């Protein structure tokens, strides 16, 4: 099955992409053409169903950037880089024989031109460089080129904006478009196609959910129907107080992104536990769901993916914890302290989320959701092995013992 890619670009660039796309198997291109890059956000609303979106340059992408998060499909854009600039300058020198100091060039990032000139060890007078940005109109960039031409300061213009090229041609000012290397465009098309295939693959991944409710407080069918509708899942009743849900990663992700599931959970007045597992098979997903359920507290949702990353708890936060790690540093810590890699991962995330580097055992107990005695054992192992240190005390009440203040003594980033 071919991947349908919507391309937002100029008419001139359409011809370039069309000739190149013929060399790539299993892609179909739908073009949405603009006269000015500022029209890109409007063209987004005209797009028909497709698998991915590609912008024919950085400028149209920047104009549409603020609304891209709403798209359910992956997107990409053809980036201007040193390769495009060096290819264009080489073409200019070989075919026009014009010295660089007699050229005006507009680019997204002037540093790229500087980098190319440095790489070729160019020591002469540099070309006139006009930076492009979404805050500067294409008309003002055109006027800068024209002013240099009228002042007889240049003999040629290189432009990254197709509408500017057309107007320069109409004014009979010698000009050429920036040349995007064929390999760069092929790579971008292949990358966009791969993003689409990966998104589809991830979306169809098997997901099993486990829902548990107290035996003395059964869940009515209306609530169960709302949960299965929100997650687009089917269900099987395992016991009178537990259910298995079957859906896909794509459906669950949408339910979480739109907060449909979190909002529904907050409306349920009865305590419950809900966990989901991802997997490459129903069996693997079910095992991961069972493991995730052991972390779930009442009215919380956890997810364990196929890489043993624990996500949650929803709706309070979205913490990613690795239950499996190959990091030799974490494994060495686990070996020295006799703590599990999971606990070390939790402590690292605890420290990253805090505004202060200092903490008390009470702070850590609340985060880990364990008993105070368990937390004190964990802290003692960290201190004994030099991974934490005592830095002070705090008196929170007039009576009672002061709380010890700790600070972690290892890298967490």
């Amino acid at each position: 099955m071919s991947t349908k890619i919507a391309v937002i670009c100029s008419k001139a660039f359409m011809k370039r992409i069309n000739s190149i796309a013929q060399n790539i198997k299993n892609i179909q291109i739908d073009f949405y053409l603009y006269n000015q890059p500022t029209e890109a956000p409007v063209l987004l609303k005209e797009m028909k169903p497709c698998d991915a979106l590609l912008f024919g340059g950085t400028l149209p992408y920047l104009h549409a950037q603020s609304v891209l998060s709403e798209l359910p499909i992956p997107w990409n854009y053809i980036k201007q880089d040193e390769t495009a600039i060096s290819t264009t300058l080489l073409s200019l020198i070989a075919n026009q024989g014009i010295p660089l100091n007699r050229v005006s060039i507009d680019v997204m990032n002037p540093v790229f031109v500087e980098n190319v000139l440095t790489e070729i060890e160019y020591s002469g007078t540099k070309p006139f460089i006009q930076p492009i940005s979404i805050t500067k109109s294409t008309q003002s960039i055109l006027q800068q080129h024209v002013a240099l031409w009228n002042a007889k300061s240049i003999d040629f213009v290189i432009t990254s904006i197709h509408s500017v090229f057309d107007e320069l041609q109409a004014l009979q000012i010698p000009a050429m478009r920036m040349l995007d290397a064929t390999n760069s465009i092929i790579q971008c098309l292949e990358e966009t196609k791969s993003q689409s295939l990966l998104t589809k693959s991830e979306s169809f991944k098997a997901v099993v959910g486990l829902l548990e409710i107290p035996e003395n407080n059964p869940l009515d069918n209306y609530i169960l129907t709302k949960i299965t509708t929100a997650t687009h899942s089917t269900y099987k009743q395992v016991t009178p107080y537990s259910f298995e849900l079957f859906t896909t990663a794509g459906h669950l992700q949408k339910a979480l992104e739109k907060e449909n599931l979190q909002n529904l959970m907050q409306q349920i007045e009865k305590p419950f536990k809900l966990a989901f597992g991802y997997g490459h098979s129903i069996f693997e997903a079910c095992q991961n769901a069972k493991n995730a359920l052991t972390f779930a507290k009442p009215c919380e949702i956890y997810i364990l993916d196929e890489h043993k990353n624990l996500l949650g708890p929803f709706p309070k936060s979205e913490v990613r914890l690795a239950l499996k790690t190959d990091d030799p540093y974490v494994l060495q810590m686990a070996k020295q302290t006799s703590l599990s890699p999971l606990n070390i991962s939790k402590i690292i995330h605890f420290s990253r989320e805090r505004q202060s580097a200092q903490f008390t055992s009470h702070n850590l107990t609340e985060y880990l959701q364990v008993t105070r005695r368990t937390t004190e054992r964990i802290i003692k192992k960290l201190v004994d092995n030099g991974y934490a240190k005592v830095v002070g005390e705090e008196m929170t009440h007039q009576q009672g013992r002061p709380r010890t203040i700790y600070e972690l003594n290892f890298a967490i980033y």
Side-chain angles (χ1 to χ4, degrees):
M1 182 182 293
S2 63
T3 299
K4 183 181 286 189
I5 301 174
V7 177
I8 294 178
C9 65
S10 67
K11 186 175 181 179
F13 204 57
M14 175 184 71
K15 296 177 182 177
R16 179 102 168 102
I17 291 182
N18 241 342
S19 63
I20 293 173
Q22 297 173 6
N23 301 316
I24 303 175
K25 294 181 180 179
N26 298 324
I27 67 167
Q28 178 184 341
I29 306 290
D30 280 353
F31 288 100
Y32 298 85
L33 305 180
Y34 58 72
N35 293 316
Q36 295 289 344
T38 52
E39 299 167 16
V42 177
L43 293 175
L44 282 177
K45 299 178 181 179
E46 299 178 8
M47 281 195 328
K48 297 174 183 176
C50 57
D51 300 309
L53 168 64
L54 177 65
F55 292 95
T58 307
L59 201 52
Y61 155 71
L62 290 175
H63 281 293
Q65 187 178 21
S66 61
V67 294
L68 290 179
S69 60
E70 301 171 11
L71 291 181
I73 56 173
W75 47 265
N76 201 356
Y77 65 98
I78 296 175
K79 304 166 185 66
Q80 189 176 85
D81 57 15
E82 284 93 340
T83 302
I85 291 167
S86 57
T87 301
T88 305
L89 294 180
L90 179 61
S91 173
L92 172 73
I93 294 169
N95 298 317
Q96 305 294 336
I98 296 174
L100 294 183
N101 66 321
R102 299 290 299 173
V103 174
S104 179
I105 178 172
D106 58 61
V107 289
M108 291 303 307
N109 191 343
V111 172
F112 291 159
V113 179
E114 300 286 351
N115 290 345
V116 170
L117 296 179
T118 300
E119 287 292 331
I120 64 174
E121 299 181 356
Y122 177 77
S123 59
T125 305
K126 295 178 181 178
F128 296 89
I129 303 174
Q130 320 299 338
I132 301 173
S133 71
I134 58 174
T135 58
K136 183 187 289 187
S137 70
T138 56
Q139 197 63 30
S140 78
I141 293 173
L142 172 67
Q143 289 169 358
Q144 287 175 316
H145 290 312
V146 173
L148 288 168
W149 172 262
N150 290 336
K152 301 188 185 307
S153 299
I154 60 170
D155 299 319
F156 204 86
V157 175
I158 297 173
T159 179
S160 307
I161 306 169
H162 292 175
S163 60
V164 170
F165 173 78
D166 292 338
E167 295 196 54
L168 289 169
Q169 290 281 284
L171 294 170
Q172 297 185 334
I173 297 176
M176 67 181 293
R177 301 185 189 93
M178 187 72 70
L179 300 177
D180 292 285
T182 299
N183 284 343
S184 297
I185 296 176
I186 290 175
Q187 182 178 346
C188 196
L189 285 168
E190 291 280 15
E191 187 180 277
T192 306
K193 175 184 171 184
S194 297
Q195 287 176 346
S196 171
L197 295 176
L198 178 62
T199 299
K200 289 180 179 179
S201 170
E202 291 293 310
S203 295
F204 291 129
K205 197 181 299 174
V207 171
V208 173
L210 297 179
L211 174 64
E212 285 190 355
I213 52 178
E215 294 186 8
N216 60 348
N217 207 345
L219 201 67
D220 57 55
N221 286 333
Y222 173 75
I223 295 296
L224 185 61
T225 301
K226 293 284 283 185
I227 294 173
T228 55
T229 300
T231 57
H232 287 265
S233 59
T234 58
Y235 74 91
K236 180 177 74 174
Q237 187 164 358
V238 181
T239 71
Y241 308 101
S242 63
F243 302 84
E244 288 182 349
L245 312 178
F246 303 93
T247 184
T248 65
H251 284 137
L252 179 58
Q253 189 65 31
K254 286 178 182 177
L256 292 171
E257 284 175 356
K258 294 179 179 179
E259 298 187 351
N260 294 345
L261 190 57
Q262 293 102 307
N263 291 337
L264 177 59
M265 296 295 102
Q266 290 171 339
Q267 295 171 19
I268 300 175
E269 297 179 354
K270 302 171 183 178
F272 67 90
K273 288 184 180 181
L274 179 60
F276 292 93
Y278 288 12
H280 297 293
S281 67
I282 293 295
F283 176 78
E284 181 186 357
C286 189
Q287 288 299 117
N288 286 336
K290 289 178 181 177
N291 290 335
L293 194 65
T294 62
F295 294 92
K297 301 291 188 295
C299 305
E300 291 181 350
I301 307 169
Y302 273 98
I303 299 172
L304 184 62
D305 68 18
E306 72 278 18
H307 304 297
K308 305 303 181 186
N309 289 314
L310 186 66
L311 306 171
F314 302 95
K316 296 178 182 177
S317 63
E318 186 175 344
V319 180
R320 179 183 293 270
L321 298 176
L323 301 190
K324 179 179 71 174
T325 181
D326 299 320
D327 188 335
Y329 184 69
V330 173
L331 293 176
Q332 179 66 19
M333 280 186 63
K335 183 178 180 181
Q336 288 184 356
T337 61
S338 300
L339 295 173
S340 69
L342 172 62
N343 275 333
I344 292 173
S345 182
K346 283 184 175 182
I347 292 165
I348 289 173
H349 281 272
F350 162 75
S351 184
R352 285 177 179 175
E353 290 183 7
R354 286 182 60 78
Q355 299 297 319
S356 170
Q358 299 176 354
F359 65 95
T360 65
S361 61
H362 176 72
N363 299 142
L364 189 56
T365 298
E366 284 188 333
Y367 184 85
L368 297 179
Q369 293 290 296
V370 295
T371 65
R372 182 178 173 181
R373 181 168 295 182
T374 298
T375 304
E376 289 174 348
R377 281 201 299 265
I378 290 173
I379 292 175
K380 185 177 186 305
K381 290 180 179 180
L382 291 172
V383 171
D384 289 348
N385 289 277
Y387 290 113
K389 58 185 178 181
V390 176
V391 293
E393 292 183 338
E394 69 173 9
M395 180 65 76
T396 56
H397 304 286
Q398 291 182 348
Q399 296 180 344
R401 291 188 305 169
R403 290 176 176 173
T404 304
I405 302 174
Y406 301 93
E407 196 172 276
L408 294 180
N409 194 33
F410 62 92
I412 63 167
Y413 301 107

